[in-house]
């Protein structure tokens, strides 16, 4: 793909960058000297493109008038075989009287496809927003518009782990460009979150933003001795707090992958989803404004993971935190004792 000068990228607005990417005018990754991160995803990207085009073709053959809904039905049927999942028998599917933000722990890639099937099955008349890392977005650009027609909007972000990878060995000018692009892409994503909340649609987001085996990355996070980063959930809540008519609920989802799972898709192996107590938008905003620790962490980020933890403890307590010392066990006990949370 074509490259552009770093100076030109720095001067472009966030909307120009997204428009240029969608029209395949150039590659951001190639331009900043990180072409290899895109090439690593070419094969699964091609598979995804073939799958999307096949689903749309079959849907239009089945029902020309309502092919969008037919597409979701085909997706559910196809993924039921390859990426099965169950819902914890004690749980009910969250209802949508408002917009929903489904926040989940992210131990592998496998839960993504299963959540795609979950929302298609249970909320077929809604639209869904997924943030994806820039490298995946560039590979999937040919099907971005078809996916939107079905109801799935994907938008690029640079996650903390992706930024760390991109910054390795780069020049000062490349570093500056990566930082600017990351900020602009985040603004695009947050604007889309506002749009989806105002239209009572569904936002799916992993608080960790990247794959992470345990809910709390470290025992120090669990014990409130280390800041939870990125502060994804509080950033979303505070962004929506500026919108008078934003009406959403934040739903914590515990994702239990199969025993001996890998970081990949874990095809034909069943996951389990568990739903914890939701947060209202008012609760989320209030907790986001409260701080804890000398590092001034946002309490909502901690409490959101705490509610996932309470559910996960029932499903699989090996996925909560490293739990390498007694202090960590004490921190877990504190979370479990406060069963309802704030």
């Amino acid at each position: 793909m074509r490259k552009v000068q770093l100076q030109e990228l720095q001067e472009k607005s966030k909307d120009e960058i997204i428009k240029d990417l969608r029209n395949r005018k150039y590659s951001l990754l190639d331009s900043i000297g990180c072409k290899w991160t895109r090439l690593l995803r070419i094969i699964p990207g091609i598979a995804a493109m073939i799958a999307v085009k096949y689903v749309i073709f079959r849907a239009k053959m089945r029902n020309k008038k309502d092919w969008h809904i037919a597409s979701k039905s085909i997706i559910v049927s196809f993924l039921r075989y390859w990426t099965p999942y169950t819902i914890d028998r004690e749980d009910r599917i969250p209802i949508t009287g408002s917009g929903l933000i489904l926040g989940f722990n992210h131990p592998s890639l496998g839960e993504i496809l299963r959540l795609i099937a979950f929302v298609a099955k249970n909320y077929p008349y809604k639209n869904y927003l997924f943030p994806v890392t820039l490298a995946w977005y560039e590979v999937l650009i040919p099907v971005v518009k078809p996916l939107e027609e079905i109801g799935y909007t994907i938008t690029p972000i640079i996650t903390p782990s992706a930024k760390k990878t991109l910054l390795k060995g780069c020049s000062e000018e490349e570093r500056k460009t990566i930082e600017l692009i990351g900020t602009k892409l985040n603004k695009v994503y947050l604007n889309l979150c506002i749009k989806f909340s105002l239209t009572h649609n569904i936002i799916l987001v992993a608080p960790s933003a990247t794959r992470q085996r345990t809910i709390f990355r470290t025992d120090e996070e669990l014990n409130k001795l280390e800041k939870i980063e990125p502060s994804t959930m509080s950033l979303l809540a505070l962004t929506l707090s500026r919108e008078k008519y934003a009406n959403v609920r934040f739903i914590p989802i515990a994702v239990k992958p199969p025993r001996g799972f890998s970081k990949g898709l874990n095809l034909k192996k069943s996951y389990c989803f568990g739903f914890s107590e939701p947060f209202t938008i008012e609760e989320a905003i209030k907790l986001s404004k409260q701080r804890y620790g000398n590092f001034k962490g946002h309490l909502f980020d901690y409490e959101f993971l705490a509610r996932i933890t309470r559910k996960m403890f029932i499903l699989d307590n090996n996925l909560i935190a490293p739990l390498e010392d007694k202090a960590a066990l004490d921190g877990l006990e504190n979370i479990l004792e406060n069963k309802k949370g704030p």
Side-chain angles (χ1 to χ4, degrees), residues 103-108 111 115 205-208 212-215 253-257 304-305 308 312 319:
F104 55 94
N105 58 301
H106 189 16
S108 69
E111 59 271 11
L115 286 167
V205 58
S208 63
Q212 181 175 296
R213 180 180 175 83
T214 53
I215 297 168
I253 301 178
V255 173
K256 177 191 174 184
F304 195 89
L305 297 186
I308 293 179
M312 185 63 80
L319 297 173

Side-chain angles (χ1 to χ4, degrees), residues 24-290:
R24 307 187 73 183
K25 287 189 175 182
Y26 52 80
S27 163
L28 286 176
L29 292 170
D30 290 13
S31 300
I32 59 178
C34 297
K35 180 178 180 179
W36 59 274
T37 61
R38 177 173 57 83
L39 295 179
L40 288 173
R41 295 164 173 81
I42 287 290
I43 294 177
I46 291 173
M49 286 187 284
I50 292 172
V52 170
K53 290 180 179 180
Y54 174 71
V55 164
I56 292 176
F57 171 76
R58 279 197 57 190
K60 289 183 176 179
M61 291 291 290
R62 180 186 296 183
N63 189 330
K64 289 184 179 180
K65 182 179 179 181
D66 294 321
W67 67 270
H68 307 83
I69 302 301
S71 294
K72 294 177 181 180
S73 176
I74 293 169
I75 288 171
V76 171
S77 298
F78 178 77
L79 292 180
R80 183 183 296 121
Y81 175 76
W82 290 103
T83 57
Y85 69 88
T86 60
I87 304 297
D88 184 51
R89 61 185 180 181
E90 296 183 1
D91 293 342
R92 294 182 179 180
I93 306 300
I95 59 174
T96 55
S98 62
L100 295 179
I101 296 178
L102 306 181
F104 55 94
N105 58 301
H106 189 16
S108 69
L109 286 178
E111 59 271 11
I112 303 301
L113 289 181
R114 289 160 177 87
L115 286 167
I116 286 173
F118 169 77
V119 294
K121 178 182 179 180
N122 294 286
Y123 312 107
Y125 297 99
K126 296 289 185 178
N127 294 320
Y128 327 110
L129 175 63
F130 286 84
V132 298
T133 189
L134 177 59
W136 275 112
Y137 186 82
E138 288 203 356
V139 168
L140 294 173
I141 283 172
V143 291
V144 167
K145 291 181 181 178
L147 280 173
E148 288 178 350
E149 290 181 317
I150 298 174
Y152 295 90
T153 295
I154 62 173
T155 188
I157 59 171
I158 298 179
T159 64
S161 61
K163 182 184 290 187
K164 185 177 179 180
T165 300
L166 295 176
L167 291 176
K168 285 182 180 178
C170 68
S171 67
E172 186 58 37
E173 194 66 14
E174 288 170 338
R175 178 183 296 273
K176 178 182 177 182
T177 306
I178 291 169
E179 295 284 356
L180 281 172
I181 289 173
T183 299
K184 290 174 182 179
L185 295 183
N186 281 341
K187 288 181 179 178
V188 171
Y189 170 56
L190 291 173
N191 286 341
L192 283 170
C193 287
I194 292 172
K195 176 182 176 181
F196 271 66
S197 67
L198 291 174
T199 53
H200 294 181
N201 281 297
I202 295 174
I203 300 165
L204 296 102
V205 58
S208 63
T210 191
R211 282 177 293 180
Q212 181 175 296
R213 180 180 175 83
T214 53
I215 297 168
F216 289 96
R217 184 177 56 85
T218 65
D219 289 342
E220 286 72 24
E221 281 188 356
L222 174 65
N223 285 324
K224 293 185 174 181
L225 299 175
E226 185 176 283
K227 186 177 182 180
I228 294 170
E229 292 184 310
S231 50
T232 306
M233 305 313 294
S234 60
L235 178 61
L236 273 177
L238 292 174
T239 297
L240 297 179
S241 72
R242 300 195 295 267
E243 297 299 318
K244 181 178 179 181
Y245 300 104
N247 183 18
V248 295
R249 287 183 299 143
F250 290 75
I251 312 293
I253 301 178
V255 173
K256 177 191 174 184
R259 186 173 303 225
F261 70 96
S262 70
K263 292 183 178 180
L265 296 174
N266 297 290
L267 299 176
K268 295 187 179 181
K269 296 180 180 180
S270 185
Y271 283 55
C272 181
F273 296 147
F275 301 99
S276 193
E277 282 289 318
F279 292 89
T280 65
I281 182 64
E282 292 80 13
E283 290 173 325
I285 293 169
K286 180 179 178 181
L287 288 169
S288 296
K289 292 178 179 179
Q290 295 180 37

